Structure formats: structure tokens, C-alpha cells
Amino acid sequence: MMRNLCLSMAGMLVCAGLAFAAAKSGLEVGTDVPAFYVQDVTGKFAGEKPLCYRCRYSNRPVVTVFTHNPDAKIEELVKKIDKTVGEHERDKMAAFVVVLSDKPKDQEAKLKEIAKKAGGLKNVPLTTFENADGPAEYKLS
């Protein structure tokens, strides 16, 4: 069951990643996942000080989506991930979306709109990270 879930989620992320062309991006397999702080916009910590969801979720299976464009494609992906995380609550699955921006405050209204259109996300907080390049250790392209 968990294997199928992981394969399904990996497939979704691969499809999303094709948009980034052939550029090498992200952490190497087996690398420790570094901590980084985000501003929660739609989750239960919205409006509070920045937090580290990577730290909060610890060793749980986690889907993290990095994007620059919170658009309709991200909205559809987030709805699917929210549903999947809810279906695998007993496996302690978790997820969060990170909008990378040099002006993160400018993204907040769009993230709130996405959450509202999605019918209120129950399992996937939408967050911002103050740097369009993302956390340096993650080597995102």
C-alpha cells in the first residue's frame, strides 16, 4: 500500500518536474533533508512566525512542492495531494507547498484564493519562502 502511494506521488512529482527541463535540481538521493523556514499562509500556523515544516514533520513521508507560480496547475496538484494525504492519515503522510519569491507578501492573496477554490485545504498548508531561488542547500533550478 505504502509502496503504491510512494510510486503515485513520485509519478506526480516527476510530471510536475518535467516543466523544469533537464536542469539538475534538488537534493541527491540519500542526502539529509536540511531545515528551512517558511511563512504559513493557509495552514493552522497562518499569520504566526516563520516555521520549519520539514522539522515539524520529521521522518514522516512528506510531499513538498516548490513553485514560483501559484497557478491553476498548482491548484489542481494541491487538491490531489490534499486528498491523498487525507487518505493516508494512518501512515502519517504530510505535505506542504512552498512559493519561492523575493516578494512573498505579494503571493499571499493568490495562495488564499487557491485554498478557497480548492474547497478549503485540510492537509496541505500553502506557504511562502523569502527567496526566489529557494533554500540554498536544496539546489533548486
Side-chain angles (χ1 to χ4, degrees):
M1 176 74 154
M2 188 56 130
R3 181 172 185 252
N4 289 340
L5 168 66
C6 290
L7 289 174
S8 295
M9 295 309 292
M12 286 172 45
L13 292 176
V14 166
C15 290
L18 291 176
F20 291 110
K24 185 171 171 109
S25 180
L27 300 171
E28 294 291 327
V29 174
T31 304
D32 287 334
V33 180
F36 67 98
Y37 289 81
V38 296
Q39 185 64 54
D40 189 343
V41 176
T42 66
K44 65 180 177 180
F45 302 104
E48 295 182 14
K49 65 183 181 177
L51 73 149
C52 176
Y53 270 113
R54 202 290 294 148
C55 304
R56 251 186 189 304
Y57 293 149
S58 188
N59 291 324
R60 296 166 60 181
V62 178
V63 175
T64 304
V65 176
F66 293 96
T67 185
H68 290 110
N69 259 340
D71 59 12
K73 289 179 185 178
I74 290 295
E75 182 181 331
E76 286 304 312
L77 179 62
V78 168
K79 280 196 250 185
K80 290 176 184 176
I81 294 171
D82 191 66
K83 181 178 183 230
T84 301
V85 170
E87 291 169 349
H88 295 278
E89 186 175 356
R90 72 171 190 263
D91 299 317
K92 299 191 185 294
M93 185 177 183
F96 64 111
V97 173
V98 183
V99 176
L100 307 172
S101 176
D102 290 329
K103 296 181 180 179
K105 288 276 185 206
D106 294 352
Q107 303 294 327
E108 291 181 5
K110 182 65 177 171
L111 293 178
K112 289 176 183 176
E113 179 184 329
I114 287 172
K116 184 177 177 182
K117 281 183 179 179
L121 300 171
K122 296 177 183 145
N123 305 298
V124 181
L126 307 180
T127 71
T128 59
F129 181 82
E130 191 169 2
N131 185 329
D133 294 331
E137 301 88 356
Y138 282 65
K139 301 174 189 152
L140 302 173
S141 61

